[in-house]
mmCIF file of all heavy atoms in Angstrom:
data_model
loop_
_atom_site.group_PDB
_atom_site.id
_atom_site.type_symbol
_atom_site.label_atom_id
_atom_site.label_comp_id
_atom_site.label_asym_id
_atom_site.label_seq_id
_atom_site.Cartn_x
_atom_site.Cartn_y
_atom_site.Cartn_z
ATOM 1 N N ILE L 30 265.892 65.972 229.729
ATOM 2 C CA ILE L 30 267.017 66.558 230.320
ATOM 3 C C ILE L 30 267.560 67.598 229.346
ATOM 4 O O ILE L 30 267.471 67.414 228.128
ATOM 5 C CB ILE L 30 268.112 65.457 230.547
ATOM 6 C CG1 ILE L 30 267.708 64.491 231.587
ATOM 7 C CG2 ILE L 30 269.507 66.067 230.772
ATOM 8 C CD1 ILE L 30 267.835 65.098 232.933
ATOM 9 N N ALA L 32 271.184 69.846 228.656
ATOM 10 C CA ALA L 32 272.510 70.083 229.133
ATOM 11 C C ALA L 32 273.006 71.350 228.500
ATOM 12 O O ALA L 32 272.875 72.442 229.009
ATOM 13 C CB ALA L 32 273.431 68.821 228.846
ATOM 14 N N GLY L 33 273.702 71.245 227.320
ATOM 15 C CA GLY L 33 274.144 72.383 226.608
ATOM 16 C C GLY L 33 273.062 73.059 225.807
ATOM 17 O O GLY L 33 273.079 74.217 225.427
ATOM 18 N N GLY L 34 271.948 72.251 225.517
ATOM 19 C CA GLY L 34 270.791 72.779 224.789
ATOM 20 C C GLY L 34 271.062 72.945 223.267
ATOM 21 O O GLY L 34 270.125 73.432 222.605
ATOM 22 N N HIS L 35 272.239 72.595 222.836
ATOM 23 C CA HIS L 35 272.585 72.901 221.386
ATOM 24 C C HIS L 35 272.006 71.870 220.373
ATOM 25 O O HIS L 35 272.161 72.077 219.172
ATOM 26 C CB HIS L 35 274.032 73.117 221.218
ATOM 27 C CG HIS L 35 274.435 74.460 221.364
ATOM 28 N ND1 HIS L 35 274.099 75.250 222.498
ATOM 29 C CD2 HIS L 35 275.080 75.306 220.564
ATOM 30 C CE1 HIS L 35 274.501 76.449 222.345
ATOM 31 N NE2 HIS L 35 275.102 76.595 221.242
ATOM 32 N N SER L 36 271.348 70.802 220.895
ATOM 33 C CA SER L 36 270.577 69.941 219.976
ATOM 34 C C SER L 36 269.180 69.981 220.328
ATOM 35 O O SER L 36 268.291 70.058 219.426
ATOM 36 C CB SER L 36 271.105 68.496 220.047
ATOM 37 O OG SER L 36 272.441 68.366 219.434
ATOM 38 N N LEU L 37 268.832 69.968 221.669
ATOM 39 C CA LEU L 37 267.435 69.853 222.061
ATOM 40 C C LEU L 37 266.697 71.202 221.773
ATOM 41 O O LEU L 37 265.557 71.067 221.235
ATOM 42 C CB LEU L 37 267.345 69.592 223.570
ATOM 43 C CG LEU L 37 265.945 69.376 224.145
ATOM 44 C CD1 LEU L 37 265.200 68.355 223.441
ATOM 45 C CD2 LEU L 37 265.989 69.176 225.671
ATOM 46 N N HIS L 78 282.739 70.475 224.599
ATOM 47 C CA HIS L 78 283.581 70.131 223.492
ATOM 48 C C HIS L 78 284.828 70.904 223.598
ATOM 49 O O HIS L 78 285.940 70.405 223.252
ATOM 50 C CB HIS L 78 282.904 70.372 222.188
ATOM 51 C CG HIS L 78 281.457 69.827 222.063
ATOM 52 N ND1 HIS L 78 281.083 68.622 222.650
ATOM 53 C CD2 HIS L 78 280.391 70.316 221.541
ATOM 54 C CE1 HIS L 78 279.902 68.445 222.417
ATOM 55 N NE2 HIS L 78 279.330 69.482 221.707
ATOM 56 N N GLY L 102 281.057 71.687 214.949
ATOM 57 C CA GLY L 102 280.437 73.012 214.689
ATOM 58 C C GLY L 102 281.403 74.243 214.758
ATOM 59 O O GLY L 102 282.326 74.182 213.973
ATOM 60 N N GLY L 110 278.022 73.078 224.019
ATOM 61 C CA GLY L 110 277.678 71.671 223.856
ATOM 62 C C GLY L 110 278.497 70.703 224.736
ATOM 63 O O GLY L 110 279.660 70.986 225.037
ATOM 64 N N THR L 111 277.846 69.658 225.194
ATOM 65 C CA THR L 111 278.556 68.702 226.126
ATOM 66 C C THR L 111 278.668 67.316 225.516
ATOM 67 O O THR L 111 277.846 66.911 224.707
ATOM 68 C CB THR L 111 277.733 68.610 227.403
ATOM 69 O OG1 THR L 111 276.474 67.965 227.161
ATOM 70 C CG2 THR L 111 277.441 69.987 228.042
ATOM 71 N N ASP L 124 280.058 63.790 215.643
ATOM 72 C CA ASP L 124 281.439 63.444 215.525
ATOM 73 C C ASP L 124 281.907 62.413 216.569
ATOM 74 O O ASP L 124 282.694 61.492 216.258
ATOM 75 C CB ASP L 124 282.361 64.700 215.595
ATOM 76 C CG ASP L 124 282.144 65.518 214.364
ATOM 77 O OD1 ASP L 124 282.624 65.108 213.295
ATOM 78 O OD2 ASP L 124 281.566 66.624 214.453
ATOM 79 N N VAL L 167 273.431 60.028 231.467
ATOM 80 C CA VAL L 167 274.848 59.783 231.330
ATOM 81 C C VAL L 167 275.525 60.562 232.304
ATOM 82 O O VAL L 167 275.325 61.770 232.470
ATOM 83 C CB VAL L 167 275.344 60.112 229.895
ATOM 84 C CG1 VAL L 167 276.864 60.036 229.867
ATOM 85 C CG2 VAL L 167 274.752 59.275 228.826
ATOM 86 N N GLY L 192 278.493 71.644 209.288
ATOM 87 C CA GLY L 192 279.681 71.144 209.923
ATOM 88 C C GLY L 192 279.595 69.682 210.366
ATOM 89 O O GLY L 192 280.566 69.027 210.712
HETATM 90 C C1 FAD W 1 275.022 75.171 214.660
HETATM 91 C C2 FAD W 1 275.368 73.773 215.261
HETATM 92 C C3 FAD W 1 276.358 73.046 214.630
HETATM 93 C C4 FAD W 1 276.675 71.795 215.155
HETATM 94 N N1 FAD W 1 277.614 71.056 214.561
HETATM 95 C C5 FAD W 1 278.019 69.822 215.077
HETATM 96 C C6 FAD W 1 279.000 69.056 214.467
HETATM 97 O O1 FAD W 1 279.691 69.434 213.539
HETATM 98 N N2 FAD W 1 279.273 67.830 214.968
HETATM 99 C C7 FAD W 1 278.592 67.336 216.115
HETATM 100 O O2 FAD W 1 278.882 66.204 216.544
HETATM 101 N N3 FAD W 1 277.641 68.074 216.676
HETATM 102 C C8 FAD W 1 277.354 69.260 216.203
HETATM 103 N N4 FAD W 1 276.369 69.948 216.810
HETATM 104 C C9 FAD W 1 275.640 69.448 217.985
HETATM 105 C C10 FAD W 1 276.368 69.855 219.232
HETATM 106 O O3 FAD W 1 277.516 69.128 219.330
HETATM 107 C C11 FAD W 1 275.472 69.558 220.503
HETATM 108 O O4 FAD W 1 276.101 70.299 221.564
HETATM 109 C C12 FAD W 1 275.389 68.147 220.974
HETATM 110 O O5 FAD W 1 274.896 67.333 220.013
HETATM 111 C C13 FAD W 1 274.380 68.103 222.118
HETATM 112 O O6 FAD W 1 274.934 68.458 223.371
HETATM 113 P P1 FAD W 1 274.165 69.317 224.393
HETATM 114 O O7 FAD W 1 274.954 69.360 225.534
HETATM 115 O O8 FAD W 1 273.948 70.642 223.722
HETATM 116 O O9 FAD W 1 272.885 68.499 224.519
HETATM 117 P P2 FAD W 1 271.334 69.027 224.685
HETATM 118 O O10 FAD W 1 270.878 69.729 223.451
HETATM 119 O O11 FAD W 1 271.104 69.667 225.900
HETATM 120 O O12 FAD W 1 270.567 67.591 224.761
HETATM 121 C C14 FAD W 1 270.498 66.748 223.642
HETATM 122 C C15 FAD W 1 269.792 65.480 223.936
HETATM 123 O O13 FAD W 1 270.481 64.703 224.883
HETATM 124 C C16 FAD W 1 269.760 64.551 226.160
HETATM 125 N N5 FAD W 1 270.799 64.692 227.172
HETATM 126 C C17 FAD W 1 271.633 65.743 227.324
HETATM 127 N N6 FAD W 1 272.499 65.411 228.333
HETATM 128 C C18 FAD W 1 272.268 64.159 228.759
HETATM 129 C C19 FAD W 1 272.840 63.368 229.697
HETATM 130 N N7 FAD W 1 273.912 63.728 230.405
HETATM 131 N N8 FAD W 1 272.283 62.125 229.823
HETATM 132 C C20 FAD W 1 271.130 61.716 229.156
HETATM 133 N N9 FAD W 1 270.578 62.540 228.175
HETATM 134 C C21 FAD W 1 271.144 63.732 228.097
HETATM 135 C C22 FAD W 1 268.735 65.636 226.112
HETATM 136 O O14 FAD W 1 267.531 65.256 226.838
HETATM 137 C C23 FAD W 1 268.434 65.748 224.565
HETATM 138 O O15 FAD W 1 267.537 64.724 224.239
HETATM 139 C C24 FAD W 1 275.939 71.257 216.322
HETATM 140 C C25 FAD W 1 274.988 72.047 216.909
HETATM 141 C C26 FAD W 1 274.683 73.234 216.439
HETATM 142 C C27 FAD W 1 273.625 74.111 217.041
#
Side-chain angles (χ1 to χ4, degrees):
I30 291 290
H35 269 54
S36 289
L37 182 59
H78 311 323
T111 68
D124 290 292
V167 173

